[in-house]
């Protein structure tokens, strides 16, 4: 039987969040958190809107998911994010005990894998490169637009 709720489906939802960030002039990173094939949180970067350097998509999604579940740990949940988490977000993901982390584009300048490759919970599963081209293209388009203004 085909599962319609696979990594591609959830990453498409994260891409929709990233597109919303793009349209708001935010760095286009989007995230969703799913449990039992149901999205329980969605967010996109809001650092400009909130004037808060910690308002990354992952941080906002973690807070929303914890509020939805009424629990601080997100064991059994999966995070889908369009760009590799930074060190700050990776730490929060680890502390929240997210079980599965799936990301699209690598962040070779600020990604967690360069600076803190053990930040996630030791039992967490990580998958990268899901819809990577789309995630990368959105970031490149955003920064090209910024440079041309």
């Amino acid at each position: 039987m085909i599962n319609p709720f696979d990594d591609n489906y959830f990453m498409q939802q994260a891409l929709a969040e990233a597109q919303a960030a793009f349209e708001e002039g935010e760095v286009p990173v989007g995230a969703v958190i799913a449990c039992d094939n149901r999205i329980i949180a969605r967010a996109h970067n809001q650092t400009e809107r909130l004037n808060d350097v910690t308002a990354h998509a992952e941080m906002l999604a973690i807070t929303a998911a914890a509020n939805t579940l009424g629990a601080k740990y997100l064991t059994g949940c999966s995070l889908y994010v369009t760009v590799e988490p930074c060190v700050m977000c990776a730490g929060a993901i680890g502390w929240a005990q997210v079980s599965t982390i799936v990301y699209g584009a690598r962040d070779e300048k600020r990604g967690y894998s360069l600076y803190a490759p053990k930040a996630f919970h030791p039992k967490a599963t990580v998958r990268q490169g899901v819809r990577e081209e789309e995630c990368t293209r959105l970031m490149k388009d955003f920064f090209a637009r910024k440079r041309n203004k």
Side-chain angles (χ1 to χ4, degrees), residues 7-9 11 15 80-82 102-105 127-135:
D7 286 352
N8 284 310
Y9 170 79
M11 189 59 75
L15 275 161
Y80 295 84
V81 61
T82 56
V102 182
Y103 65 89
R127 292 190 291 277
Q128 64 184 35
V130 175
R131 300 184 84 133
E132 183 174 12
E133 282 185 31
E134 293 164 88
C135 296

Side-chain angles (χ1 to χ4, degrees), residues 34-57:
C35 286
D36 298 323
N37 287 330
R38 184 174 69 92
I39 294 173
I40 62 166
R42 56 177 65 236
H44 57 271
N45 275 1
Q46 294 189 40
T47 60
E48 299 299 326
R49 169 191 257 178
L50 300 176
N51 199 30
D52 179 357
V53 297
T54 69
H56 289 196

Side-chain angles (χ1 to χ4, degrees), residues 20-33:
F22 183 99
E23 291 167 9
E24 293 170 13
E26 299 277 359
V27 175
V29 178
V32 298
I33 296 178

Side-chain angles (χ1 to χ4, degrees), residues 75-98:
T75 308
C77 295
S78 299
L79 167 71
Y80 295 84
V81 61
T82 56
V83 177
E84 177 182 0
C86 70
V87 174
M88 174 185 68
C89 291
I93 293 163
W95 283 112
Q97 298 183 17
V98 176

